[in-house]
Amino acid sequence: MAIVVDRELCPHDHSCPLIDLCPVEAISQGADGYPTVDAERCIECQQCVAACPMRAMKQV
Ligand code: SF4
């Protein structure tokens, strides 16, 4: 299992609010504007899945 960003739902045009929400600092944002999740850090708490206003974070 992993948390991934659905690029069809993320508008990648704003500072991702989930970066500050993640308790283990697993989310970062690249130059293309898409957030990415560091699978080594992520504990799959799903806080970002619940909080993303675009429902773009998914557990797969
Ligand atoms: S599931 Fe939790 S630990 Fe993983 S990226 Fe989202 S907020 Fe961070």
Side-chain angles (χ1 to χ4, degrees):
M1 302 289 272
I3 304 294
V4 298
V5 180
D6 185 332
R7 292 193 167 213
E8 294 195 356
L9 295 178
C10 176
H12 65 98
D13 62 355
H14 58 277
S15 179
C16 178
L18 308 175
I19 292 172
D20 288 337
L21 175 108
C22 177
V24 294
E25 299 183 359
I27 303 175
S28 59
Q29 195 163 18
D32 62 4
Y34 288 106
T36 56
V37 177
D38 182 342
E40 298 289 318
R41 286 179 174 253
C42 178
I43 56 174
E44 299 189 28
C45 68
Q46 302 203 32
Q47 289 187 54
C48 58
V49 175
C52 177
M54 302 305 293
R55 298 282 183 254
M57 304 297 275
K58 296 184 173 174
Q59 188 167 38
V60 295

